[in-house]
Amino acid sequence: MNYLTDTDAKKLFSAAIAAAENTYSPYSHFPVGAAVLSADGTIVPGTNVENASYGLTICAERTALGHAVSIGKTDIKAIAVFCKTNSAAPCGACRQFILEFGSDIVVIFMHGEELMQRTIGELLPFAFTKATMDQLEKVGDQEHNL
Ligand code: THU
């Protein structure tokens, strides 16, 4: 398992706390911050960005990942997520979004008093991924029987 040291996990989590300061959440009033750690050590922040058309809201994790990709950081090691209620494991959509960049990515979040670390593969088992789609070539037109 590629879990971070306590010091590194806390450092990344602090960046997520700082990112939440920039929240744009005039509807939920629920600030969330995220911070991505890329393989070269760069820390990339993101916050939740809401919209008057509520469903268009972007979670902090997805903002941070989009930010990281936009500056050329797709080799991602970890992502921390913070919200004030101290129980902010990423939502289902964000789990899927994180997994796109690798099942070993470490997700760091508070659970009560504990700073938790779990790989995204642990948080989203049996996921639908690019590998799932790549099977199509192999499977071809074969019929499906149970
Ligand atoms: N939110 C996140 O930023 N990340 C999550 O994983 C769950 C929810 C945001 C979306 C919305 O702006 C607010 O939290 C309330 O749902």
Side-chain angles (χ1 to χ4, degrees):
M1 219 54 78
N2 305 322
Y3 289 168
L4 274 60
T5 63
D6 218 37
T7 309
D8 287 349
K10 282 181 180 157
K11 186 178 166 197
L12 194 62
F13 193 69
S14 299
I17 295 172
E21 291 297 314
N22 294 325
T23 185
Y24 179 76
S25 49
Y27 304 103
S28 72
H29 306 286
F30 191 80
V32 184
V36 165
L37 176 66
S38 77
D40 69 2
T42 308
I43 291 179
V44 186
T47 191
N48 53 335
V49 183
E50 299 187 344
N51 192 274
S53 176
Y54 291 2
L56 297 183
T57 290
I58 308 172
C59 291
E61 298 92 316
R62 281 179 281 148
T63 303
L65 284 163
H67 185 182
V69 171
S70 303
I71 60 169
K73 311 292 180 191
T74 49
D75 191 354
I76 289 158
K77 214 173 144 192
I79 182 167
V81 53
F82 162 79
C83 75
K84 290 179 177 173
T85 56
N86 265 1
S87 55
C91 76
C94 287
R95 291 179 196 208
Q96 178 71 27
F97 206 85
I98 295 165
L99 193 96
E100 180 68 22
F101 300 97
S103 57
D104 288 336
I105 293 173
V106 177
V107 182
I108 295 163
F109 57 97
M110 288 296 287
H111 183 71
E113 299 296 301
E114 200 183 339
L115 190 60
M116 306 280 291
Q117 298 197 41
R118 291 287 184 276
T119 66
I120 191 62
E122 290 175 305
L123 294 182
L124 189 64
F126 303 104
F128 183 86
T129 66
K130 185 173 181 300
T132 314
M133 298 184 69
D134 289 345
Q135 295 295 317
L136 189 58
E137 245 170 64
K138 228 169 64 186
V139 173
D141 287 333
Q142 100 190 5
E143 272 185 40
H144 285 269
N145 301 303
L146 279 178

